[in-house]
Amino acid sequence: MQAIILAAGEGTRMRPITYDVPKPMVKANGKTLVERNIEKLPKEVTELIIVVGYLKEKIMSCFGNEFGGRKITYVEQDEPLGTAHAVSLCKDYVNERFIVMMSDDAYSKEDFVECLKHERAILAKRISGKSTAGKITCDENGNMIDILEGIHEDADNGILANTNFFVLTPEYFDYKMVSIKDGKEYGLPQTVVNMSKDYPVKIVEASNWMKIDSMDDVAEFEKELRKN
């Protein structure tokens, strides 16, 4: 099985550190964010496709062509055209069911394993209070219907927020990328929504996930690592 790891972003909200270090290579308790995620991948994943862009040479020189017994292929995203565009660049390398994940959020190994029990899946974290995360809606069978962007608040049970971890099948590439942000980018979650109308995508509720956007988030993540 293959895993596409999205690692091309600039990490502007982490400056000044990301002037010299790409966001996936920021360290938490001595290990880079992307390394921690690679180590959590299930044994079924035998090949990595890493989408690089900003300061790409620092990622490529660190991991080389193989890491932890897994072959690595690098795909370059020259322009920041969004997550669906990044995945589209990998089409010629994908020949089986595959994972797509962010390189720099904090995920749980157990959640990865749970997602792989389904042919296609999206990992969602239940969040209480006000949130700007994409809100996932589902049908009576727990399959994704839509992802709603904007500001959300559910006082009772919280919302199911998109974590940008997907298990997909090659049929994904049959769907046209969905334009977002006034045509400036193409959105992966929105494109998966279109796929889900024909191919069910199971919602798996995350036991642990943290979106890392700032050095304060890194500090909070380090606290969690020390606890565990």
Side-chain angles (χ1 to χ4, degrees):
M1 188 175 188
Q2 297 163 301
I4 297 174
I5 301 175
L6 304 183
E10 291 190 30
T12 55
R13 281 174 281 191
M14 283 193 174
R15 287 178 177 166
I17 190 171
T18 51
Y19 282 127
D20 301 309
V21 178
K23 184 184 172 189
M25 297 298 291
V26 171
K27 290 187 176 182
N29 280 10
K31 284 189 180 181
T32 66
L33 298 174
V34 63
E35 182 180 357
R36 288 189 177 279
N37 282 329
I38 291 172
E39 289 179 345
K40 292 173 185 174
L41 288 169
K43 64 181 185 302
E44 289 89 344
V45 176
T46 58
E47 181 180 355
L48 308 177
I49 303 171
I50 304 180
V51 182
V52 294
Y54 179 69
L55 296 177
K56 61 183 182 294
E57 65 282 352
K58 297 204 172 183
I59 297 174
M60 296 168 71
S61 63
C62 177
F63 293 102
N65 296 320
E66 184 182 61
F67 183 76
R70 295 179 170 113
K71 174 189 172 184
I72 298 178
T73 299
Y74 296 97
V75 175
E76 186 172 353
Q77 186 181 32
D78 293 324
E79 297 181 72
L81 296 177
T83 50
H85 177 259
V87 173
S88 74
L89 299 173
C90 305
K91 179 180 179 180
D92 292 343
Y93 301 96
V94 173
N95 49 36
E96 57 186 334
R97 191 167 69 120
F98 62 101
I99 286 169
V100 181
M101 63 184 291
M102 304 303 291
S103 60
D104 43 28
D105 284 353
Y107 296 99
S108 161
K109 181 176 182 177
E110 291 73 23
D111 292 337
F112 290 173
V113 171
E114 192 63 32
C115 284
L116 286 189
K117 294 179 181 179
H118 308 280
E119 186 69 4
R120 289 165 295 275
I122 178 172
L123 184 66
K125 183 72 170 73
R126 192 169 293 278
I127 297 177
S128 300
K130 188 175 290 187
S131 172
T132 58
K135 177 182 177 181
I136 303 172
T137 61
C138 63
D139 63 18
E140 65 276 9
N141 297 314
N143 295 318
M144 181 174 67
I145 295 176
D146 203 354
I147 297 180
L148 307 174
E149 302 296 336
I151 299 174
H152 311 288
E153 186 168 13
D154 189 324
D156 296 325
N157 299 314
I159 67 164
L160 287 172
N162 172 34
T163 71
N164 280 311
F165 181 93
F166 300 89
V167 177
L168 300 173
T169 48
E171 291 85 2
Y172 166 83
F173 294 105
D174 296 335
Y175 292 82
K176 184 179 179 181
M177 294 184 295
V178 175
S179 175
I180 60 173
K181 297 184 179 179
D182 297 324
K184 295 178 181 178
E185 294 185 8
Y186 297 94
L188 173 62
Q190 294 80 5
T191 307
V192 173
V193 166
N194 283 349
M195 178 191 186
S196 72
K197 297 172 184 176
D198 301 313
Y199 299 93
V201 177
K202 192 73 172 181
I203 297 172
V204 175
E205 193 164 335
S207 61
N208 193 14
W209 169 74
M210 181 183 297
K211 185 170 181 59
I212 298 179
D213 273 339
S214 67
M215 291 310 296
D216 287 341
D217 294 335
V218 173
E220 187 64 29
F221 180 40
E222 288 180 323
K223 288 181 184 178
E224 292 299 316
L225 290 171
R226 287 192 290 269
K227 285 181 185 177
N228 297 322

